[in-house]
Amino acid sequence: MPNHPASPRPGPTRRRVLAGALGLTGALALPGCGATSGPARVREWNLFGGGDGARLLQIHRQFVAERKDIAFEAHTLAWGPPFYTKLAMSAAGGRAPEVATLHLSRLRGFSPTTLLDPIPLDRLSAAGINSSDFLPQTWDRCLIDDKLYAVPLDQHPFVLYYNTDICRRAGLLGPDGRIKTIKGVDALIETMKAVKETTGKFAASVETTNPWRLWWTLYGQLEGRFFDESGTRLALDDAKALEALQLMAKLAADGLVPRSSPYAALVAMFTNGDAGLSFNGEWEVTTYETAKMKFGMAPFPQVYDVPACAGDAHTFVMPHQNGRSAASTQATVEYIAWMLKHSVEWAEGGHIPAYQPVATSAEYLALRPQADYRDAANHVLLDPDAWFSGSGAQLQNEAGAAFSGVFSGQSSPRQALDQFKAAVQKLLDTPSPV
């Protein structure tokens, strides 16, 4: 979220480095983590700030209390390019931490066969984790040349939030108190008009200054391609891309969404009731719970041909080390397995557990509204595979620069698409820096 700036912005609740005197990069001092060497040392790098960071710290404290045989250190770095640059540099020099967080959308563009060490399947299986414990489409994305380079912790899809009081007054809730199914363009427009009439302002909040996730969701529902089969040539379907952009333009022209809304504004609009719906990643659930809002969540509506939603997954990877020891590898695998088996605590922050024994557990299914959009995990559409793609990468920035004009009225859908295609082609023509 998330996953969640794709371009520099404050990220008021999710993507800050943990507060305090840690600065850009800080070691989270955990009880029992004094050891800095030894065969069972596990140093972990992550990019979780805000509510995610606080939740991870809690989970890590529990891990340290239970696994006193492992010398564990956790370090939080700034989200986005600073994190990935530092991780790549440490791996290139063979001096990386034992384990790190990596967005699945960035795995193939991270030069995994040189910057990451394979995760031993036999050790993972011995720790109770197997491929059958994950959705096949998620697990398969972690394999490169039949070797496992990542283990998924969660999925974080683009979803629909709804204010239950506003939607009740608009007549949009079913007998179960949840929003009625929205399917098709007409149904979406009619639903949004009913919400706008109720709020007197807007129907939905959405990040219009970088609407990559909304466009990628709509284009994905139209089953549009991005690259050709070689993965090296742009193969956008102009008609489908324009159809998605034209719908986005209509939402703004009809006053159903604001013409200009950075990320912080989209969160504030939903919180204060200026919008009864919100299109965003699921990671803001803690924000709205803290605000004591009455809200629900659902998968993003199927507006077009197939159910699909933009999204990503946080994974565990083993960055390249020179002389990684068997003992530290074993401890790292055991840490990964422990985190997966305890991922219901992580899911409280909104992310859908990737580990299916947790995702299907009674404890997770009892979480509301977190479990109400769990089916979205089957339809998550990761960013295209490219070195410049993925969470926080340049592709999303270029989409923001091009597509924001569709909402503001400064660009037609055709102009925006031409600008975006030219920017992507320039990136394709640029060699990967890793």
Side-chain angles (χ1 to χ4, degrees):
M1 99 161 344
N3 143 161
H4 205 243
S7 57
R9 64 171 185 248
T13 58
R14 177 169 167 77
R15 297 300 186 191
R16 296 192 194 122
V17 182
L18 291 179
L22 298 178
L24 178 65
T25 304
L28 303 186
L30 300 175
C33 291
T36 57
S37 62
R41 179 175 68 169
V42 174
R43 296 163 299 171
E44 182 261 2
W45 284 11
N46 67 77
L47 37 61
F48 298 114
D52 276 358
R55 193 177 306 278
L56 183 63
L57 177 58
Q58 253 184 344
I59 297 171
H60 278 164
R61 289 190 185 279
Q62 183 183 349
F63 173 75
V64 168
E66 292 185 14
R67 294 302 305 265
K68 297 184 183 298
D69 56 317
I70 295 176
F72 181 77
E73 302 172 11
H75 300 255
T76 299
L77 285 72
W79 188 90
F83 174 85
Y84 284 109
T85 299
K86 189 172 180 66
L87 184 63
M89 290 176 64
S90 69
R95 301 183 301 275
E98 280 68 37
V99 63
T101 302
L102 192 85
H103 285 94
L104 186 53
S105 63
R106 297 191 69 141
L107 178 63
R108 293 177 184 270
F110 196 73
S111 188
T113 57
T114 57
L115 296 181
L116 300 176
D117 292 335
I119 299 171
L121 285 165
D122 55 343
R123 290 180 184 264
L124 199 62
S125 179
I129 306 298
N130 298 286
S131 61
S132 58
D133 295 324
F134 302 87
L135 296 176
Q137 63 269 29
T138 307
W139 180 264
D140 290 347
R141 185 85 177 231
C142 298
L143 296 169
I144 298 173
D145 297 333
D146 295 325
K147 292 182 179 180
L148 183 69
Y149 282 94
V151 177
L153 171 64
D154 62 39
Q155 293 196 79
H156 40 281
F158 194 64
V159 299
L160 169 67
Y161 294 82
Y162 57 96
N163 182 307
T164 51
D165 284 343
I166 292 173
C167 288
R168 182 176 293 107
R169 297 202 306 271
L172 299 174
L173 299 187
D176 59 358
R178 298 173 184 169
I179 195 166
K180 297 175 183 176
T181 299
I182 304 167
K183 189 170 184 179
V185 173
D186 291 342
L188 177 68
I189 298 296
E190 290 307 310
T191 296
M192 294 181 72
K193 285 181 177 178
V195 174
K196 178 179 170 61
E197 290 175 4
T198 305
T199 65
K201 294 185 178 180
F202 296 103
S205 70
V206 65
E207 185 183 11
T208 62
T209 53
N210 195 338
W212 163 258
R213 292 185 186 87
L214 178 58
W215 178 81
W216 187 231
T217 294
L218 297 174
Y219 185 66
Q221 291 190 359
L222 287 163
E223 299 184 276
R225 290 198 307 164
F226 199 88
F227 293 130
D228 67 3
E229 293 181 0
S230 72
T232 61
R233 294 175 60 86
L234 190 61
L236 279 175
D237 184 317
D238 279 18
K240 293 177 179 180
L242 287 170
E243 186 170 355
L245 289 169
Q246 287 160 356
L247 176 57
M248 290 159 57
K250 177 176 176 56
L251 297 181
D254 291 353
L256 299 174
V257 300
R259 285 197 174 275
S260 179
S261 175
Y263 189 84
L266 95 86
V267 175
M269 286 177 58
F270 186 66
T271 305
N272 62 27
D274 286 349
L277 307 173
S278 187
F279 306 142
N280 198 6
E282 36 63 39
W283 49 80
E284 293 295 351
V285 60
T286 303
T287 302
Y288 303 134
E289 287 177 338
T290 302
K292 308 297 183 185
M293 287 187 63
K294 294 181 180 178
F295 73 100
M297 298 171 69
F300 189 88
Q302 183 181 335
V303 181
Y304 292 118
D305 302 335
V306 298
C309 58
D312 211 330
H314 295 119
T315 72
F316 294 112
V317 297
M318 292 171 52
H320 176 63
Q321 285 185 348
N322 292 330
R324 184 187 291 272
S325 73
S328 68
T329 298
Q330 180 62 32
T332 299
V333 168
E334 290 179 12
Y335 163 77
I336 293 172
W338 189 96
M339 290 293 292
L340 293 176
K341 293 173 183 178
H342 290 78
S343 56
V344 70
E345 289 91 341
W346 183 242
E348 291 175 6
H351 309 311
I352 302 173
Y355 184 58
Q356 291 303 293
V358 170
T360 57
S361 68
E363 189 175 3
Y364 172 69
L365 296 177
L367 290 178
R368 291 288 183 272
Q370 290 91 336
D372 289 343
Y373 52 85
R374 64 187 182 277
D375 289 346
N378 296 296
H379 309 295
V380 167
L381 185 65
L382 271 68
D383 287 9
D385 271 335
W387 70 261
F388 50 81
S389 181
S391 291
Q394 190 61 25
L395 178 65
Q396 295 185 358
N397 296 337
E398 297 297 346
F403 297 161
S404 59
V406 171
F407 283 102
S408 67
Q410 296 178 334
S411 302
S412 69
R414 180 74 260 178
Q415 290 170 327
L417 181 59
D418 288 346
Q419 179 181 335
F420 180 61
K421 289 172 65 176
V424 175
Q425 188 59 54
K426 185 175 181 180
L427 289 169
L428 279 169
D429 294 338
T430 303
S432 171
V434 295

